[in-house]
Amino acid sequence: MEAFERARLDAYFGRIASRFAPAERPAAFLITHLLPERPAFVRGVAGVTGLCAVLPKPKSVHAEALRQVEADGHPCDTLSRELFTDPDRAVRYIETRATGRQVVLLDVGGCFAPSLESLCDRISGQILGVVEDTENGHRRYADLEKLPCPVVSVARSPLKDPEDFLVGQSVVFSTEALMRSRGDILHGRTALVIGFGKLGSSIARLLHAKGVRVTVYDVDPVRRTQALSQGFTVARDRESGLNDAGLVLCATGALSLRGEDFPRLRNGAYVATVTSSEDELELAGLPDVYERASTGEHVTRYLTTGHYFYLLNGGNAVNFLHGASVGPFIFLVQAEILAASAALARGGLDPGMHEISPTDRATIAATWLDYFNR
């Protein structure tokens, strides 16, 4: 990023922070993909909260971004799946960083959800609430039997629509780049897109534009009808869709392929996902007879007698291999995260799922246009 671009981005987040900053700033814990442009967003978070720690998602940490965040004085702690699935460990961690303080949790993917009730009940301070960025995380909080605090979700915000479309583009780009590294191309191939939400539908349309014959499967019959109305072939079930697919793109944010599904893949099929392998793929359930071997950078071949397939980027989000860039549109969503943090700090929200107001979204959009539509 050029110096003038960094200055513009800092000015943008500074203006957003000044617009939404609460009278009293709560402590905050920020889970984020630490990509090259992310330090400016972290500084924005620090403008509306007392940022206690940044917890980078482990498989998307850019070394220079990490150095910048730490140089700004924000500690970066190690995020593991176990940190917040063990309530005792989660409580100890929050207490270590924010004893007796009011706390806002900024999440990506519902990481805090397993321990949220314990955190609300047991820490010496107070959990004011959670801000969630993704559809996967939104569902994890919505599925809790009873939310002990407010959760402000930006996952379904209209400000996120451009990002979702461009993430779909980056997924298709990275998938094709890895296939081309092995001498394969997308054109003329058959593909199965599992999941027809915002990301999955974007991926399906982009694949179709590249000459790929696309079949869609989604567990939700409403989404299957939407896919059918948009001209896509819709699989009756996951198994029938897998049989003919030379490319499988998993875009559910939940479990797409179980262990017993992999042997149904067509010989030579490629498998890619839009999120972590732990969420989308049950690789641990793959039959032991499969041998793994690297057949190129970020391409793994799974082979047994009479059957083989290729897994891209170890089953993790394939677009992070090329920066997962969606341009300045992501700054719309990041600004909404700042506004949501301030809303929690001001209080007055009941336990449950919430969104920020249309007025605040309009303010964010107008500010973004001032800086990025010159």
Side-chain angles (χ1 to χ4, degrees):
M1 185 176 288
E2 300 285 352
F4 74 88
E5 293 174 315
R6 288 197 297 271
R8 178 173 60 178
L9 194 51
D10 280 331
Y12 165 74
F13 279 119
R15 187 167 159 190
I16 292 291
S18 65
R19 167 63 180 80
F20 291 105
E24 294 187 14
R25 296 189 302 168
F29 293 82
L30 171 65
I31 294 176
T32 186
H33 298 288
L34 207 50
L35 301 174
E37 89 294 334
R38 211 53 57 100
F41 168 60
V42 174
R43 288 190 285 271
V45 172
V48 296
T49 70
L51 184 57
C52 293
V54 178
L55 296 113
K57 297 283 277 189
K59 293 163 184 173
S60 54
V61 181
H62 187 271
E64 177 58 22
L66 178 63
R67 187 198 66 77
Q68 287 184 38
V69 168
E70 291 179 331
D72 287 341
H74 306 305
C76 291
D77 293 335
T78 300
L79 176 65
S80 66
R81 186 167 290 270
E82 295 74 28
L83 180 56
F84 295 110
T85 54
D86 179 348
D88 293 334
R89 187 174 174 184
V91 169
R92 287 196 302 270
Y93 171 70
I94 298 296
E95 283 290 292
T96 298
R97 289 286 191 194
T99 305
R101 299 182 65 183
Q102 292 185 318
V103 174
V104 169
L105 304 173
L106 309 182
D107 203 354
V108 175
C111 295
F112 296 110
S115 295
L116 187 59
E117 184 174 2
S118 294
L119 289 172
C120 289
D121 288 344
R122 294 169 53 189
I123 68 166
S124 58
Q126 179 189 6
I127 300 295
L128 294 178
V130 180
V131 181
E132 173 54 50
D133 182 30
T134 68
E135 177 64 25
N136 185 23
H138 180 110
R139 290 199 301 265
R140 287 182 176 174
Y141 286 109
D143 288 345
L144 291 177
E145 186 174 340
K146 182 180 179 182
L147 279 170
C149 66
V151 175
V152 183
S153 172
V154 305
R156 298 177 181 178
S157 166
L159 294 182
K160 197 174 175 69
D161 290 346
E163 179 193 347
D164 288 333
F165 174 75
L166 292 165
V167 167
Q169 280 196 331
S170 71
V171 167
V172 173
F173 172 87
S174 295
T175 299
E176 184 170 28
L178 291 183
M179 290 173 62
R180 284 182 176 274
S181 72
R182 300 197 64 260
D184 281 333
I185 62 172
L186 283 173
H187 189 83
R189 188 171 286 266
T190 57
L192 173 68
V193 177
I194 303 178
F196 199 71
K198 290 182 180 180
L199 272 181
S201 59
S202 172
I203 290 167
R205 289 193 294 270
L206 291 161
L207 288 172
H208 176 73
K210 287 182 171 287
V212 177
R213 290 171 288 160
V214 180
T215 297
V216 168
Y217 178 72
D218 196 298
V219 295
D220 184 350
V222 174
R223 288 183 173 174
R224 295 203 297 272
T225 63
Q226 291 171 338
L228 196 62
S229 73
Q230 294 177 34
F232 296 108
T233 300
V234 175
R236 297 186 307 276
D237 49 46
R238 180 174 22 224
E239 293 75 14
S240 61
L242 289 173
N243 290 335
D244 296 326
L247 168 64
V248 179
L249 269 161
C250 304
T252 66
L255 184 61
S256 289
L257 295 180
R258 302 178 299 268
E260 62 268 26
D261 292 324
F262 291 98
R264 297 189 178 100
L265 291 167
R266 199 171 85 180
N267 265 344
Y270 290 88
V271 177
T273 77
V274 304
T275 185
S276 68
S277 58
E278 292 91 345
D279 290 329
E280 292 277 2
L281 307 175
E282 191 186 36
L283 290 172
L286 192 67
D288 293 337
V289 293
Y290 281 87
E291 297 178 355
R292 291 183 294 177
S294 174
T295 61
E297 193 171 11
H298 307 298
V299 181
T300 304
R301 183 187 65 207
Y302 284 74
L303 172 68
T304 189
T305 303
H307 188 241
Y308 69 101
F309 65 90
Y310 299 102
L311 183 64
L312 304 184
N313 195 30
N316 296 304
V318 67
N319 55 319
F320 282 114
L321 291 174
H322 301 99
S325 178
V326 297
F329 293 98
I330 195 171
F331 308 140
L332 286 162
V333 182
Q334 291 171 346
E336 189 167 350
I337 290 170
L338 301 190
S341 303
L344 290 172
R346 290 192 295 269
L349 295 178
D350 295 327
M353 302 296 295
H354 299 268
E355 297 181 355
I356 72 166
S357 70
T359 301
D360 285 345
R361 284 183 181 140
T363 297
I364 291 167
T367 304
W368 184 92
L369 288 167
D370 283 346
Y371 283 88
F372 299 105
N373 190 39
R374 295 180 175 179

